[in-house]
Amino acid sequence: MDLDQAHGVLTNKITKLPSKTTNFKIEQYRRNLKNLTVSAEGRPFQMLVFRGSPKSNRKLSREIQRSSEDLPSYNNPPRQFPKKETLVLDAPNITNDYYLSIMDWGESNILAVALGTKVFLWNANSREIELLSEVSEINDYPGSVSWSKDAKTIAVGYNSSRIILYDAESLKPVRSLNGHRGKVGSIAWNGHILTSGSRDRAIINHDVRARNSVVCRVKAHEGEVCGLKWSRTGNILASGGNDNLLYLWDSCKMSSMNNLYRFDDHCAAVKALAWCPYNYNVLASGGGSSDCSIKMWDMQKGACIRSTDTKAQICGLQWNRHHQEILSGHGYGNGSESQNRLCLWSYPSMTRLGESIDLGARILHLSQSPDGLTVVSAGEDETIRFWDVFGPASNANPRVSYLDSLLSLRESPIR
C-alpha cells in the first residue's frame, strides 16, 4: 500500500519492481483481494448485492421519507423577520401623500429620495449625501423619482406636470419632458422608454432619444394614475389608478388604446404593483384603505389566482429574489394588527411569516437594494428605515451584524 511507489509504477511504466520487499507486498495484496472476491468454494461473488424486490424497497423508501419528514430541519430553519431595522435616517419634510412615488434605489447602490422641494442622493457605499435638485417655484415639488436601469439617468416628475431627466454623474438636468396637465405621481423605465402617469388620468410613453419624445398617450383610467410597473420582459405595462382599476397593456399595442386586461376587483386605489421575479406571468397588486387586499394575477389566465386580506392599507410591495416571499408595507388599518407595519408573506400560500413592530406612522414607500437583500421604507413619521429582511437563510443563529450594533438606533439626517 505504498502510494508513492504505486504512482511511480503507473506513471513511469517500470517493468521490473525495484525490490523483493515491494514485490512481496504486491503479491500479498493480490491474495487478500482474491480472498475478498472469491468464495470458499472458489466461485467469484459480488461484493455489493442488491437484495429484496423493488416493491419491498419502495416501501422501505417511503418509510425512510416519512421518518425524515417528522424530523426537525436543521439545514433550513424557519425564516424570521428581523427584530429591528439596521439603520434609521432622518427624512424631514417628506411629503405625506399616498399617491406619490418619491423614493427609488438604483443599480449603482444610490438611494434617491424627495424631501419637500428637494431631491437627495444617498450613497449606500460611502454614506455620502448629495443634493440633486431643488424647486424654487411656489406650489411645485417632486411627485415621483425613478432610476434608469443602467443607473445613468434619474427621472423626476413634478407637481407642475413636467418631467426632468438628470445625469447621474454630473447631477445636471439634461432633458425636460412635457405632455401632462397635472401632477406626475408615477414613472417607470423600460429601456429607453420612460412611462409616466399623472393626476390628469393620462399615461404617456416617452422615447428619451427622440426630439419629440411622446410616443403614445393613453387615457383609460377615470382617476389619478398612481401606480406603474413594467414587466421584467418589458412587454407588458401594469397601471393602477385612484379609480380602483388595474390595467394591463401590451407594449406594442398601447397606441391603439386596446388593453390586454381591465380588472376591477380592488375596492380602493391601486398604487402598489410588483412583478414576480421567478414567474414572469404573475403580478402582485395592493389596494388602498378601503380594500386592504394583496391580489395575485396570472397573465396567461387573465384572472386573479389569489387574494389575501391584510386588514390595512397597502402602500408598497417588494418581492424577495432569494426566497419565494413578498413583503408588504402598510398604512391605515382602523386599529388592525397590520397597520403601520412591514409584513412578510410566503408565496404562493400567502402565509404570514413575520412582521415588524407598529412603527407609529404609516409606511408611504418601499424600495429594494440592487443585491436584493435590503428593503428601505419611508414613513409618515419622517424617517427612512433599512431592513435586512431578504436574503439566504442562515444555518446558524441569527447574525448580529456590525450595522445592527452601531447604527440601529442612530439617526443620520438627510438635509
Side-chain angles (χ1 to χ4, degrees), residues 144 156-164 177-188 194-206 213-214 216-219 224-225 228:
S144 51
V156 181
Y158 289 89
N159 186 55
S160 61
S161 77
R162 59 178 176 159
I163 301 171
I164 297 181
L177 306 176
N178 300 306
H180 285 294
R181 299 179 180 177
K183 177 188 66 179
V184 181
S186 56
I187 48 181
L194 178 66
T195 303
S196 57
S198 171
R199 182 179 285 174
D200 64 8
R201 301 176 291 169
I203 300 172
I204 297 180
N205 283 345
H206 304 265
S213 66
V214 178
C216 71
R217 178 186 176 93
V218 176
K219 200 169 185 178
E224 179 178 357
V225 180
L228 290 174

Side-chain angles (χ1 to χ4, degrees), residues 240-301:
N242 196 25
D243 53 0
N244 310 345
L245 296 177
L246 171 63
Y247 281 93
L248 279 300
W249 307 90
D250 187 326
S251 60
C252 299
K253 300 178 181 179
M254 283 190 67
S255 57
S256 63
M257 290 288 293
N258 293 325
N259 59 76
L260 287 174
Y261 301 109
R262 177 185 181 274
F263 300 121
D264 57 3
D265 300 46
H266 283 290
C267 302
V270 184
K271 171 193 174 185
L273 298 170
W275 290 92
C276 181
Y278 31 83
N279 187 342
Y280 290 179
N281 291 315
V282 173
L283 171 72
S285 63
S289 55
S290 298
D291 181 84
C292 302
S293 68
I294 300 174
K295 298 186 185 298
M296 298 293 174
W297 307 90
D298 190 316
M299 296 302 100
Q300 291 184 334
K301 298 178 180 179

Side-chain angles (χ1 to χ4, degrees), residues 61-89:
S61 177
R62 287 195 296 270
E63 292 296 331
I64 294 174
Q65 181 179 3
R66 190 178 299 113
S67 299
S68 65
E69 290 174 352
D70 295 336
L71 295 174
S73 174
Y74 295 100
N75 293 329
N76 297 304
R79 297 269 298 147
Q80 296 181 353
F81 197 93
K83 294 181 180 180
K84 57 185 178 181
E85 60 276 89
T86 57
L87 177 63
V88 180
L89 300 179

